[in-house]
Amino acid sequence: MGSIPRFWRENPSRYNLVGVKCDNCGRVFFPPRDICPVCHRESIGKMKRLELSGKGSVYSYTLVQDAHPQFEMLKPYILAMVEMDEGVKITSQIIDVKPEDVHIGMKVEAVMRKLGAEGNSGILHYGYKFRPVKE
Amino acid sequence: MKTGIVSYGAYIPRTRIEPAEIGRVWGIDGEAMGKGLMVHRKSVPMPDEDTITISVQAARDMMQRTQADPEEIGAIFVGSESHPYAVKPTSTIVAEAIEAAPHLTAADYEFACKAGTAAIQTSMGLVGSGMMRYSVAIGADTSQGAPGDALEYTAAAGGAALLIGTEKERLIAVINHTYSFTTDTPDFWRREGQMYPSHGGRFTGEPAYFKHVVTAGKTLMEMADTKPEDYHHVILHQPNGKFPNRAGKQMGFTSEQLKYGLLTPEIGNTYSGAVMLGLASVLDIAKPGDRILMVAFGSGAGSDAFDLTVTDEIEKIPREKGTTVREMIDNYTLIDYATYAKYRGKIKMRE
Ligand SMILES: [Zn+2]
């Protein structure tokens, strides 16, 4: 039960990829943070909400064979670092693709999927994963 | 005030299984079964897909095709018989995911396979009365048939979303008339807590599906003062490929009129998603002036019928920004029965 408030608070960013942009240096962060780690004090009050487009490309990836019990049903699966069009990198699963078809630079887009469940009676968690875009 | 469709969206999971593969496991000629039912393959949700993710993807597809401000959406109704939670609405998650929350009302509907069209009618009332500018009606399901049951060859997953508004908006299709026919008929049911539904066997055909669909369709045409040949596209509830063809003939329609709205042969029965996905498929290719007849059916039992006319706006909205139903039908990957059983929770796992 302990994680319910944390998951709930993070729903907007996990459902809609809401990050922040530092108006001082232009860097984009996801998940959102209160202060820019580059500009520090200069960024106070300048961190603006920014909804990511959901589009990006595979920056690097790995095939996960020994999955966490939550992902038992999905293994083997591709875990990737996705570089978003806005520049920020996000670690997530790549779905709707054969593992051998994944390549660096592959264009992907965010979709909503079930991320997990807290046992048989607990809350269900939803958020983004990435799937290939037709090129 | 006239109401209608402002935008639409759809979603079909990418995984499929074929009747021959299901029959192989149960010692039945599945291929013959599939031919008899006119179902060549059916969609299967991945373990991380459910009615919530399908509804969200369909609603986002719908928002891609419109300039409408999500904050002007006053209501979201999701019709399904497979809501992931017994208590905790699917509609609230959809509202948050399309950024329509928090200033709106939301509810989940249930009426076997016609809960999505009930949501359309509720939406028509809410926008038509001026209570709100837009309302969203979604029909989505990830239905299951008991292992080895005839329903296992057809029960599939998918959904569609419609943004409903009035003639003050740019409607892509006007809803000219709607009519419903409802009776207490025990053709198909699922008791609370049961994983699989039960059905009345042969009882499901004549007194349930055909009586309701044909009565609703014919009565609607009387109300609209139309003849079968006035319609360019006809979408009938499609528990298999056979039923809508037969009901269509009884009402005087040709298979040509049913063509674009009949998806069950390629994706199976998507329950609450069925006629709404059929409508999305028709809207993907519809031209201004096209007249559409749509009749949903839900066991228990009832039919909702709609008479629509496509407007010039259909060519002005960015239809290409969403994914067409045809693209989703054609982009699939087949699985075997063992994988299907694993994905659908039919294998007993260690706690
Ligand atoms: Zn900065």
Side-chain angles (χ1 to χ4, degrees), chain A residues 11-12 14-16 18 49 51 55 72-75 93 95-98 109-115 120 122-126 129 131 134, chain B residues 11 14-15 46-50 52-54 56-57 60 84-85 88 92-93 96-99 322-324 327 333 342-343 345 347 349 351:
Chain A
N11 274 350
R14 280 186 301 113
Y15 288 0
N16 292 312
V18 176
R49 178 188 192 278
E51 192 172 324
K55 310 256 186 229
E72 189 67 22
M73 289 288 169
L74 298 166
K75 78 179 188 199
Q93 195 187 331
I95 54 168
D96 282 0
V97 66
K98 289 195 199 106
E109 64 184 355
V111 290
M112 184 187 263
R113 288 292 175 105
K114 191 161 91 182
L115 300 181
N120 286 329
I123 201 92
L124 303 171
H125 298 300
Y126 296 90
K129 290 186 180 182
R131 71 176 176 197
K134 312 162 288 200
Chain B
Y11 184 78
R14 186 168 159 270
T15 312
M46 289 292 286
D48 60 355
E49 290 184 296
D50 59 20
I52 290 177
T53 65
I54 290 169
V56 167
Q57 288 303 126
R60 284 184 174 165
Y85 287 101
K88 165 83 181 90
T92 56
I93 297 170
E96 189 73 50
I98 62 168
E99 301 185 299
T323 311
T324 65
E327 283 175 273
T333 175
K342 182 177 89 167
Y343 283 177
I347 296 177
M349 304 287 286
E351 287 285 305

Side-chain angles (χ1 to χ4, degrees), chain A residues 22-27 29 36-40 43 47:
Chain A
C22 170
D23 248 2
N24 199 48
C25 69
R27 284 183 177 82
F29 301 96
C36 173
V38 179
C39 307
H40 304 289
S43 70
M47 302 299 277

Side-chain angles (χ1 to χ4, degrees), chain B residues 249-279:
Chain B
K249 267 202 195 93
Q250 288 181 19
M251 286 186 269
F253 297 115
T254 65
S255 50
E256 193 61 23
Q257 286 167 295
L258 296 176
K259 194 168 85 179
Y260 290 100
L262 183 53
L263 312 179
T264 294
E266 291 179 281
I267 61 167
N269 177 12
T270 55
Y271 284 61
S272 303
V275 288
M276 295 182 62
L277 271 169
L279 179 60

Side-chain angles (χ1 to χ4, degrees), chain A:
Chain A
M1 293 297 272
S3 65
I4 290 176
R6 181 175 67 83
F7 263 94
W8 177 70
R9 264 198 312 276
E10 292 171 0
N11 274 350
S13 65
R14 280 186 301 113
Y15 288 0
N16 292 312
L17 290 166
V18 176
V20 287
K21 184 177 183 175
C22 170
D23 248 2
N24 199 48
C25 69
R27 284 183 177 82
V28 175
F29 301 96
F30 181 89
R33 46 202 307 167
D34 296 331
I35 288 179
C36 173
V38 179
C39 307
H40 304 289
R41 264 179 38 204
E42 301 286 310
S43 70
I44 292 170
K46 291 182 180 165
M47 302 299 277
K48 299 278 162 59
R49 178 188 192 278
L50 177 79
E51 192 172 324
L52 306 180
S53 63
K55 310 256 186 229
S57 58
V58 173
Y59 181 79
S60 74
Y61 65 94
T62 182
L63 183 69
V64 178
Q65 313 250 24
D66 192 9
H68 181 273
Q70 280 273 11
F71 300 107
E72 189 67 22
M73 289 288 169
L74 298 166
K75 78 179 188 199
Y77 62 87
I78 296 288
L79 191 68
M81 270 176 86
V82 175
E83 181 165 20
M84 305 305 295
D85 286 357
E86 293 83 0
V88 64
K89 292 187 189 74
I90 294 177
T91 302
S92 180
Q93 195 187 331
I94 309 290
I95 54 168
D96 282 0
V97 66
K98 289 195 199 106
E100 60 268 30
D101 290 341
V102 180
H103 56 92
I104 287 170
M106 184 174 78
K107 299 263 183 251
V108 293
E109 64 184 355
V111 290
M112 184 187 263
R113 288 292 175 105
K114 191 161 91 182
L115 300 181
E118 296 187 3
N120 286 329
S121 58
I123 201 92
L124 303 171
H125 298 300
Y126 296 90
Y128 55 84
K129 290 186 180 182
F130 291 85
R131 71 176 176 197
V133 183
K134 312 162 288 200
E135 285 173 67

Side-chain angles (χ1 to χ4, degrees), chain B residues 6-307:
Chain B
V6 177
S7 184
Y8 70 100
Y11 184 78
I12 303 166
R14 186 168 159 270
T15 312
R16 308 276 191 280
I17 189 167
E18 292 177 339
E21 173 62 10
I22 298 173
R24 183 181 67 81
V25 173
W26 299 111
I28 283 173
D29 184 349
E31 203 175 328
M33 181 90 156
K35 279 198 181 121
L37 292 165
M38 283 176 68
V39 175
H40 313 306
R41 66 191 80 88
K42 67 163 195 170
S43 63
V44 179
M46 289 292 286
D48 60 355
E49 290 184 296
D50 59 20
T51 290
I52 290 177
T53 65
I54 290 169
S55 299
V56 167
Q57 288 303 126
R60 284 184 174 165
D61 197 52
M62 169 192 86
M63 294 309 288
Q64 293 282 325
R65 292 188 170 110
T66 178
Q67 301 287 325
D69 180 354
E71 290 187 4
E72 299 234 42
I73 293 170
I76 295 183
F77 302 105
V78 182
S80 178
E81 56 134 64
S82 52
H83 291 290
Y85 287 101
V87 178
K88 165 83 181 90
T90 300
S91 47
T92 56
I93 297 170
V94 176
E96 189 73 50
I98 62 168
E99 301 185 299
H103 305 293
L104 82 168
T105 185
D108 288 2
Y109 278 180
E110 281 186 31
F111 193 146
C113 301
K114 77 158 197 78
T117 51
I120 299 175
Q121 292 173 328
T122 309
S123 295
M124 290 169 69
L126 290 170
V127 298
S129 66
M131 272 179 74
M132 57 189 59
R133 188 164 177 192
Y134 303 114
S135 175
V136 176
I138 297 175
D141 260 309
T142 57
S143 299
Q144 296 229 48
D149 188 273
L151 283 178
E152 196 178 25
Y153 294 82
T154 56
L162 296 175
L163 187 64
I164 305 294
T166 68
E167 58 193 337
K168 286 189 203 156
E169 316 299 333
R170 296 163 153 232
L171 298 177
I172 58 170
V174 175
I175 301 172
N176 309 308
H177 302 275
T178 182
Y179 167 77
S180 294
F181 181 74
T182 308
T183 70
D184 176 12
T185 307
D187 57 321
F188 173 98
W189 62 90
R190 178 166 63 83
R191 294 264 300 274
E192 186 71 52
Q194 293 293 307
M195 185 167 175
Y196 303 113
S198 305
H199 52 89
R202 296 198 171 276
F203 189 51
T204 58
E206 281 312 325
Y209 178 85
F210 291 100
K211 181 182 164 191
H212 290 77
V213 168
V214 173
T215 305
K218 283 186 170 170
T219 310
L220 184 78
M221 284 193 278
E222 277 169 32
M223 281 170 66
D225 196 21
T226 50
K227 299 180 293 299
E229 55 269 33
D230 294 336
Y231 294 95
H232 300 81
H233 302 286
V234 176
I235 306 140
L236 305 178
H237 181 56
Q238 39 205 269
N240 49 54
K242 206 174 57 177
F243 277 25
N245 270 304
R246 223 169 87 198
K249 267 202 195 93
Q250 288 181 19
M251 286 186 269
F253 297 115
T254 65
S255 50
E256 193 61 23
Q257 286 167 295
L258 296 176
K259 194 168 85 179
Y260 290 100
L262 183 53
L263 312 179
T264 294
E266 291 179 281
I267 61 167
N269 177 12
T270 55
Y271 284 61
S272 303
V275 288
M276 295 182 62
L277 271 169
L279 179 60
S281 166
V282 164
L283 291 173
D284 278 340
I285 52 99
K287 289 190 266 313
D290 280 359
R291 194 90 181 240
I292 301 169
L293 180 89
M294 172 168 84
V295 187
F297 171 74
S299 291
S303 268
D304 298 330
F306 300 83
D307 170 77

